[in-house]
Amino acid sequence: MDTTIGSVPAAADAAPPAPSASAPREATLGRHLARRLAEVGARDVFAVPGDFNLTLLDELEAESGATGVRLVGCCNELNAAYAADGYARARGGGVGACAVTFTVGGLSAINAVAGAFSENLPVVCIVGGPNSNDYGSNRILHHTIGLPDFTQELRCFQTVTCYQAVVNNLEDAHEQIDTAISTAIKESKPVYISISCNLPSIPHPTFSRHPVPFFLSPRLSNQMNLVAAVEAAAAFLNKAVKPVLVGGPKMRVSKACKAFVELADACCYPVAVMPSAKGLVPEHHSRFIGTYWGAVSTPFCAEIVESADAYLFAGPIFNDYSSVGYSLLLKKEKAIIVQPERVVIGHGPAFGCVLMKDFLHALATRLKKNTAAYENYCRIYVPPGEPHPSEPGEPLRVNILFKHIQAMLSSNSAIIAETGDSWFNCQKLKLPEGCGYEFQMQYGSIGWSVGATLGYSQAAKDKRVIACIGDGSFQVTAQEVSTMLRWGQNSIIFLINNGGYTIEVEIHDGPYNVIKNWNYTGLVEAFHNGEGKCYTAKARTEEELKEALKAALGPKKDCLCFIEVIVHKDDTSKELLEWGSRVSAANSRPPNPQ
């Protein structure tokens, strides 16, 4: 090998010659990857080109027919991975995919991949890697930090993905790609695939025009443990006077939402959800009592849950956000905690190797009907009042805005709620049957919703996405609205302009929470630039909001509709104020004594 500083690679290091006309062009590495992605439902790959992935993108694009994928070009890698996150959500926790370039692309996307990991979403992050001949060469490549070490990106991804494949030879490329994608599906977590830039267009005997379909061995419960867990849980709940059910976010990864509803139908307990599980349980259910979120719960929900003498939590995540600064009034000895593969009853016993879906399904046959807690709820429940009507010309209030958003919802809608005050206002929405709902509570990355709206809309053609985004969050990822326009999406984006990072203000205020005001509608019109269908409006009053909604739901229903809603910076929900003070107190605890 030529080791002269700055030398041109020797002939032996050069990329292999292009395949001859007689070679089976259909059987290349890149096309195999495209077919595998299409097979698992990731038919849109959110991509940003870079010199290390261009040949790979060529091969993916070449397989854009009925058996392949199509590339959705994004403005940056972070947004591309956010879009893959939203795409996976729209498919009920199915596979989403993004394709970026080496290190500068991968490390830009990694924040969104980490968010997908926290939410148990199988996102496939594909990176165009170095030339296979450069491995072990001690050369320094561009897009790196200037060291002859190509593993920096890999090491970063190891902590936020469940499998990493570095494909730098053709002999095991087939196996590595198939293992990565199947692992993403089995674990419902992101995976990382790096493919050397000189390999995607090369045929190899291990690739076939029609690859053998995946067959994933199903996970099974240990039957003895399952029976024992059900017996113990049934005994625990059947002796309770006023038990309740609470759904958590891990029901989705466990594919247990239907089993949870089946259990609720069988036992007649009241049903609540944790905030990050909103949308996983049908809110038209006859015994649905709302969101359990401690001090900021749906009215009367916390009273019923916290006064119960037994509660079953299915797939919960108890973090500082969902517990409102660890202030939930729950007692472990009253709780059955059902995780995806584990059941814990009170302080014990615990049963492993028990799948949530199997457990809930079996438990439904063993519980006695008990309506006591729901009857208590009906006894204390007072229907919420309507917001006080606006006076002519009165500045628009947030509660008036969400009254109109509520009226827009149908089975053909989906709500995307950005981190911030939208968390709390969107929680109050009553979701019609079939209405989608997504937000990122565990990771809470501001700006997530813009890319997620792009990806969700791309996957869910049967729904009109309604995104509620604060001005601070929008400034992080605004440019991806141009991709929505390019792809003819008709989402409705409510840009809630209250002049800063409201959620941060309530946790800890400071001058850094005030941001530069933009001409948001003017920005979107600049993105539009006469190409595609776009409608923008500013709403300062209820009258202006009504006019904007009349257009968005009528003559502009096929357009991307961007409605800037201007509200006062102090017009925040009481739930956010309460939540912020409790989280702030939790964050401000002094160090424990040594």
Side-chain angles (χ1 to χ4, degrees), residues 319-365:
N319 61 22
D320 51 340
Y321 275 10
S322 67
S323 68
V324 197
Y326 308 110
S327 65
L328 301 183
L329 300 178
L330 301 174
K331 295 183 178 180
K332 188 174 182 181
E333 63 267 20
K334 295 182 179 181
I336 296 177
I337 305 297
V338 187
Q339 293 295 5
E341 297 186 17
R342 184 175 178 82
V343 177
V344 181
I345 299 175
H347 287 296
F351 303 89
C353 301
V354 175
L355 299 184
M356 183 190 298
K357 180 169 62 175
D358 295 343
F359 174 78
L360 298 178
H361 178 75
L363 184 61
T365 66

Side-chain angles (χ1 to χ4, degrees), residues 239-251:
K239 70 181 181 182
V241 176
K242 44 183 181 177
V244 299
L245 301 177
V246 184
K250 291 187 179 179
M251 289 196 304

Side-chain angles (χ1 to χ4, degrees), residues 306-592:
E306 293 177 348
S307 67
D309 55 345
Y311 17 75
L312 183 150
F313 280 80
I317 296 177
F318 295 109
N319 61 22
D320 51 340
Y321 275 10
S322 67
S323 68
V324 197
Y326 308 110
S327 65
L328 301 183
L329 300 178
L330 301 174
K331 295 183 178 180
K332 188 174 182 181
E333 63 267 20
K334 295 182 179 181
I336 296 177
I337 305 297
V338 187
Q339 293 295 5
E341 297 186 17
R342 184 175 178 82
V343 177
V344 181
I345 299 175
H347 287 296
F351 303 89
C353 301
V354 175
L355 299 184
M356 183 190 298
K357 180 169 62 175
D358 295 343
F359 174 78
L360 298 178
H361 178 75
L363 184 61
T365 66
R366 298 299 311 277
L367 293 186
K368 300 173 184 177
K369 292 184 184 297
N370 186 332
T371 61
Y374 187 68
E375 289 168 2
N376 286 346
Y377 173 75
C378 293
R379 193 174 299 118
I380 66 174
Y381 177 73
V382 177
E386 286 290 311
H388 183 71
S390 295
E391 298 293 334
E394 178 187 348
L396 186 60
R397 288 177 272 124
V398 171
N399 60 353
I400 294 292
L401 165 65
F402 278 89
K403 181 185 79 169
H404 287 282
I405 292 176
Q406 177 69 71
M408 297 167 60
L409 300 184
S410 72
S411 60
N412 298 319
S413 307
I415 290 284
I416 303 287
E418 176 58 81
T419 301
D421 201 19
S422 292
W423 275 5
F424 301 89
N425 288 306
C426 289
Q427 279 290 332
K428 301 174 191 176
L429 295 171
K430 184 75 171 177
L431 303 181
E433 183 176 3
C435 181
Y437 186 93
E438 298 292 342
F439 78 131
Q440 190 196 58
M441 187 172 194
Q442 173 59 40
Y443 201 60
S445 183
I446 66 169
W448 161 84
S449 63
V450 181
T453 296
L454 165 66
Y456 196 105
S457 300
Q458 199 66 15
K461 301 296 186 184
D462 58 329
K463 294 188 183 296
R464 193 171 193 191
V465 177
I466 299 169
C468 298
I469 308 174
D471 51 336
S473 295
F474 184 73
Q475 289 195 6
V476 180
T477 49
Q479 64 269 53
E480 222 55 56
V481 171
S482 69
T483 309
M484 300 177 199
L485 289 165
R486 185 179 182 185
W487 284 86
Q489 296 183 357
N490 70 336
S491 300
I492 301 174
I493 296 175
F494 289 99
L495 188 285
I496 303 170
N497 186 350
N498 56 11
Y501 296 121
T502 303
I503 193 168
E504 310 294 0
V505 168
E506 300 308 329
I507 295 174
H508 186 100
D509 199 6
Y512 33 75
N513 290 326
V514 179
I515 62 175
K516 171 72 174 70
N517 192 40
W518 290 359
N519 179 356
Y520 293 99
T521 54
L523 176 70
V524 172
E525 287 162 5
F527 288 155
H528 176 220
N529 197 27
E531 299 177 4
K533 297 180 179 180
C534 181
Y535 169 73
T536 65
K538 288 181 186 285
R540 298 177 179 83
T541 65
E542 186 176 11
E543 294 92 334
E544 292 177 347
L545 177 64
K546 287 179 177 178
E547 285 299 312
L549 294 179
K550 183 178 179 181
L553 300 176
K556 302 298 183 181
K557 65 182 179 180
D558 294 327
C559 298
L560 179 77
C561 295
F562 183 91
I563 303 173
E564 180 184 355
V565 180
I566 300 171
V567 298
H568 193 274
K569 67 181 180 66
D570 295 329
D571 186 6
T572 57
S573 63
K574 68 181 188 302
E575 292 84 2
L576 173 57
L577 298 176
E578 175 71 22
W579 179 88
S581 67
R582 289 177 182 261
V583 171
S584 176
N587 290 347
S588 303
R589 288 172 297 171
N592 292 328

Side-chain angles (χ1 to χ4, degrees), residues 102-121:
F102 180 54
T103 306
V104 291
L107 297 188
S108 177
I110 198 169
N111 181 55
V113 174
F117 189 95
S118 76
E119 300 275 333
N120 296 291
L121 297 170

